[in-house]
């Protein structure tokens, strides 16, 4: 199996805000490279630790390997030119093309890939483990459990997680189910590699609670406490500068540092959840979850429109999203954007 370098592993362990990047499209649903550069520069300047192409928020690259290849190289180029020393390169691999995507990511020099469950839909546990090993033979790999409403997702039992944790460098919990996430955390606690595993939350319905939580488990006569080091969430894909601020406050508060936000942690949890209910169209079973993120980014000036391969929004959703982000400035990037958007557009060759 391919080993993650000590430097990249240390960066993973720092956690923080990881972005499942949307794919910038024009009105004809073709990749819009300059806008993708602008969006990536925004994430970097906002303080993200990783910008991940190919995930659900990026519509799995539309299943197009050429789009995926170009996106890998664009993000790597932007990170090398503008990124901080704490950034690392991760991409998502999924669906029937997972091995080809893993090979492209390895060839592009990425540190690690996150393997989405859509790569092993309807597979047995033994087949799932084999797929993880196959990918890990090409490039270091990260685990991921999706919520049930996303096509291709599946549940992971404790035994399967323990076998996966013998291979991966960590996992993203995104079942939108506290009990399922606890299964993952407990399996990580029982792993012989527990100290090396990096856990991140993808539970948009409990981001603050996950980031601020400590999760102790009995392992023989010992107590092993697991933590989420950060998050890889659609919520982080917009208003990222604000997210870096409040997520950092939650993570620092867990370490006993002074709370620095104008709202309490409990208020913050409510505000973020209210925002996500609109942003991901939760009322309609997440039917426009990607469109919502792209609509918000468009309103901030980072995309030419909320163009998606399959989603079109719905009546009233834009107004719901606008209202949610107006709830409290702690989650909004309006001020940051007013100060930085024009200069970022010039840097990537777009007219302010």
């Amino acid at each position: 199996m391919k080993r993650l370098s000590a430097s990249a592993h240390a960066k993973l362990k720092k956690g923080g805000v990881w972005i499942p990047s949307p794919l910038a499209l024009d009105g004809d649903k073709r990749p819009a490279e300059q806008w993708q550069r602008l969006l990536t520069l925004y994430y970097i300047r906002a303080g993200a630790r990783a910008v991940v192409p190919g995930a659900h928020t990026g519509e799995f690259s539309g299943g197009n390997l050429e789009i995926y290849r170009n996106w890998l190289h664009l993000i790597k180029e932007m990170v090398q030119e503008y990124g901080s020393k704490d950034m690392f390169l991760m991409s998502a691999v999924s669906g029937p093309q997972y091995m080809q995507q893993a090979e492209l990511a390895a060839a592009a020099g990425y540190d690690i890939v996150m393997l989405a469950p859509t790569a092993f839909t309807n597979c047995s546990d033994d087949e799932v483990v084999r797929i993880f090993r196959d990918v890990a033979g090409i490039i270091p790999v990260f685990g991921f459990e999706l919520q049930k409403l996303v096509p291709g997702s599946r549940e992971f039992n404790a035994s399967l997680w323990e076998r996966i944790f013998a291979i991966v460098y960590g996992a993203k919990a995104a079942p939108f189910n506290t009990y399922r996430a606890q299964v993952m955390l407990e399996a990580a606690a029982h792993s012989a590699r527990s100290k090396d595993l990096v856990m991140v939350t993808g539970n948009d319905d409990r981001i603050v609670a996950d980031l601020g939580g400590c999760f102790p488990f009995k392992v023989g006569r010992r107590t092993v406490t697991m933590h989420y080091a950060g998050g890889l969430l659609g919520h982080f894909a917009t208003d990222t500068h604000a997210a870096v601020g409040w997520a950092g406050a939650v993570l620092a508060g867990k370490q006993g540092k002074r709370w620095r936000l104008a709202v309490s942690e409990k208020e913050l949890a409510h505000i973020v959840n209210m925002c996500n209910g609109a942003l991901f169209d939760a009322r309609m079973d997440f039917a426009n979850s990607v469109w919502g993120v792209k609509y918000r980014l468009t309103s901030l000036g980072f995309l030419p429109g909320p163009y998606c391969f399959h989603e079109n929004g719905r009546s009233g959703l834009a107004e719901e999203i606008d209202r949610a982000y107006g709830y409290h400035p702690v989650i909004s990037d309006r001020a940051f954007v007013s100060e930085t958007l024009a200069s970022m557009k010039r840097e990537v060759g777009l007219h302010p």
Side-chain angles (χ1 to χ4, degrees):
M1 292 189 293
K2 294 293 183 180
R3 295 181 61 85
L4 189 62
S5 71
S7 172
H9 198 183
K11 292 175 183 179
L12 245 70
K13 286 185 172 183
K14 289 183 179 180
V17 168
W18 304 358
I19 311 296
S21 177
L23 179 62
L25 299 175
D26 63 19
D28 295 319
K29 300 186 178 184
R30 297 175 302 192
E33 181 178 326
Q34 283 182 300
W35 288 96
Q36 195 73 57
R37 290 184 181 276
L38 174 66
L39 190 57
T40 306
L41 182 59
Y42 164 54
Y43 294 142
I44 293 170
R45 292 278 166 79
R49 290 272 174 78
V51 182
V52 180
H56 172 254
T57 314
E59 300 176 271
F60 301 116
S61 305
N64 185 308
L65 287 175
E66 190 61 26
I67 289 175
Y68 185 79
R69 184 203 311 270
N70 292 339
W71 201 0
L72 289 171
H73 287 286
L74 183 151
I75 286 179
K76 181 181 180 181
E77 179 186 323
M78 296 294 289
V79 169
Q80 288 179 331
E81 183 171 357
Y82 298 102
S84 76
K85 58 182 176 56
D86 289 329
M87 293 191 74
F88 61 93
L89 292 170
M90 171 187 274
S91 70
V93 300
S94 60
Q97 299 174 323
Y98 71 91
M99 284 295 285
Q100 294 159 289
Q101 292 175 339
E103 288 166 353
L104 288 172
Y110 272 59
D111 297 305
I112 192 167
V113 297
M114 180 177 68
L115 179 60
T118 54
F120 41 78
T121 303
N122 298 323
C123 287
S124 69
D125 286 1
D126 286 345
E127 290 170 327
V128 170
V129 173
R130 177 188 57 77
I131 288 170
F132 269 95
R133 289 193 181 279
D134 288 347
V135 174
I138 297 170
I139 187 171
V141 65
F142 201 79
F144 176 21
E145 182 175 9
L146 269 165
Q147 63 145 316
K148 286 183 177 180
L149 287 174
V150 177
S153 64
R154 65 163 285 162
E155 287 190 357
F156 294 72
N157 57 53
S159 174
L160 178 57
W161 269 126
E162 288 187 34
R163 295 171 70 187
I164 290 170
F165 285 138
I167 303 167
V168 302
Y169 284 87
K172 167 183 169 175
F176 287 26
N177 181 315
T178 299
Y179 306 110
R180 302 303 315 161
Q182 286 175 335
V183 169
M184 184 196 79
L185 290 171
E186 186 168 15
H190 280 268
S191 171
R193 301 176 59 243
S194 61
K195 291 182 179 179
D196 290 328
L197 296 173
V198 179
M199 316 308 294
V200 297
T201 181
N203 293 315
D204 288 290
D205 58 344
R206 51 174 291 116
I207 306 173
V208 175
D210 277 357
L211 293 178
C214 298
F215 308 94
F217 299 97
K218 282 292 184 182
V219 180
R221 296 182 179 181
R222 299 180 300 129
T223 297
V224 177
T225 300
M226 301 304 298
H227 301 269
Y228 290 108
L232 176 56
L233 307 118
H235 180 90
F236 288 170
T238 185
D239 296 82
T240 307
H241 185 262
V244 168
W246 64 252
V250 174
L251 291 166
K254 184 167 60 177
Q255 297 171 359
K257 296 181 180 178
R258 182 175 173 272
W259 185 251
R260 62 175 188 259
L261 299 182
V263 296
S264 71
E265 188 167 341
K266 289 182 179 180
E267 289 175 297
L268 176 66
H270 170 68
I271 292 166
V272 170
N273 283 356
M274 288 289 289
C275 172
N276 287 343
L279 186 66
F280 303 119
D281 199 16
R283 186 160 59 86
M284 300 301 290
D285 287 337
F286 307 95
N288 293 285
S289 57
V290 177
W291 186 93
V293 173
K294 287 189 168 186
Y295 166 77
R296 177 62 181 177
L297 286 167
T298 300
S299 74
L300 291 173
F302 292 109
L303 287 177
Y307 307 123
C308 302
F309 287 126
H310 303 295
E311 297 178 13
N312 298 299
R314 62 170 172 80
S315 177
L317 183 56
E319 291 77 13
E320 291 175 29
I321 294 169
D322 291 342
R323 187 165 58 250
Y325 276 99
Y327 196 81
H328 198 285
V330 73
I331 59 169
S332 175
D333 265 3
R334 286 290 179 197
F336 175 75
V337 169
S338 68
E339 296 171 359
T340 60
L341 179 59
S343 64
M344 285 192 286
K345 280 189 168 183
R346 283 193 291 269
E347 284 187 79
V348 300
L350 286 168
H351 295 295

